[in-house]
Amino acid sequence: MMKSRPTRPRPVPAAAAGAAAALLAAAGLLTATPAQADPRPCPGAGAGDPARCAQVIGIKAGSSLVMRTEPRYGAAQVARFGNGQWMELDCWTTGDPDADGHGYRYWMQVSTGSRSGFVNDWYLDSGGPGTWKSQIPRCA
């Protein structure tokens, strides 16, 4: 009777792993993680329009990002959004930490057509404070 021996995973060359990640990203199977990417011109913005936008990311299946009247989770709900939805970034402030326990306290005042309110920046692909502080003003 043959005995099976434990196998070890074969190492994947870095170039192959990088190529695979690039293909998955191009196919849309990999997405940015919270606080990655950059604020960018809003969809449909004309030349010279200074408005900056970001997309909702990092929302678990069956859940939604809640826009609130203030940068805290106890504030009244304005609207709910899913992954991929665009928001115009009006200004930033600090408030309650993100709901998933990362301790991230930056909130964006955002607008989406007729609605305006606050969302925790952890759930936007805005690039994080090191990126957007030079592009987005602090809320007054």
Side-chain angles (χ1 to χ4, degrees):
M1 179 165 126
M2 287 184 98
K3 289 188 178 183
S4 63
R5 63 184 172 100
T7 60
R8 290 183 296 188
R10 293 185 341 192
V12 176
L23 287 172
L24 288 171
L29 298 174
L30 289 180
T31 59
T33 56
Q36 288 184 350
D38 289 326
R40 51 209 173 272
C42 298
D49 187 339
R52 301 319 255 171
C53 283
Q55 283 184 290
V56 176
I57 60 169
I59 301 300
K60 296 175 185 166
S63 189
S64 57
L65 177 63
V66 177
M67 180 189 287
R68 300 189 178 273
T69 57
E70 297 175 40
R72 59 184 181 83
Y73 288 105
Q77 296 183 16
V78 175
R80 293 177 170 270
F81 301 94
N83 289 322
Q85 290 188 273
W86 287 90
M87 298 186 166
E88 184 173 337
L89 309 175
D90 300 325
C91 62
W92 67 271
T93 190
T94 55
D96 287 351
D98 66 276
D100 289 327
H102 300 102
Y104 193 80
R105 295 182 168 275
Y106 290 103
W107 288 66
M108 290 285 180
Q109 184 172 8
V110 297
S111 53
T112 59
S114 63
R115 297 179 186 228
S116 180
F118 291 88
V119 297
N120 189 292
D121 180 56
W122 180 263
Y123 306 101
L124 301 177
D125 68 347
S126 63
T131 300
W132 48 251
K133 278 190 177 180
S134 64
Q135 301 175 53
I136 310 296
R138 186 169 190 151
C139 300

